[in-house]
Amino acid sequence: MTVRRYAERRKWPLERVEARLVAHSADHTWSAVDVVLTLDGPLDAEQRERLLALAEKCTISKALKSGLPVLLKEQP
């Protein structure tokens, strides 16, 4: 939601954003979670980079990071 609102305020052409969590486990315990983002729309490289940096700092990312290592990735 933070990423979408940021793009809307700047009138960037973000058509859809999706976050998918992929858990990694070792010995039946979670060892890390990848957050895979899909940013659809004709965004330029600078806009994508800024949106990914913002996602890294959002409340949800911070909450996840407080207990597990989180690796933020963009879906190509």
Side-chain angles (χ1 to χ4, degrees), residues 1-9 14-17 51:
M1 180 165 276
T2 301
V3 170
R4 177 173 296 287
R5 282 187 290 174
Y6 187 90
E8 286 173 355
R9 283 196 308 268
L14 177 64
E15 296 168 358
R16 183 178 74 94
V17 60
L51 292 174

Side-chain angles (χ1 to χ4, degrees), residues 3-71:
V3 170
R4 177 173 296 287
R5 282 187 290 174
Y6 187 90
E8 286 173 355
R9 283 196 308 268
R10 280 150 186 78
K11 300 192 185 321
W12 289 356
L14 177 64
E15 296 168 358
R16 183 178 74 94
V17 60
E18 176 182 293
R20 185 170 42 96
L21 302 179
V22 179
H24 299 274
S25 64
D27 300 327
H28 304 291
T29 61
W30 285 17
S31 58
V33 174
D34 288 345
V35 178
V36 181
L37 292 182
T38 302
L39 301 174
D40 286 340
L43 299 162
D44 64 33
E46 186 176 327
Q47 291 167 332
R48 285 181 181 281
E49 183 177 319
R50 181 65 189 122
L51 292 174
L52 291 172
L54 179 67
E56 187 78 36
K57 297 175 186 176
C58 83
T59 305
I60 301 295
S61 275
K62 287 179 181 178
L64 288 170
K65 288 179 183 181
S66 68
L68 292 172
V70 176
L71 308 171

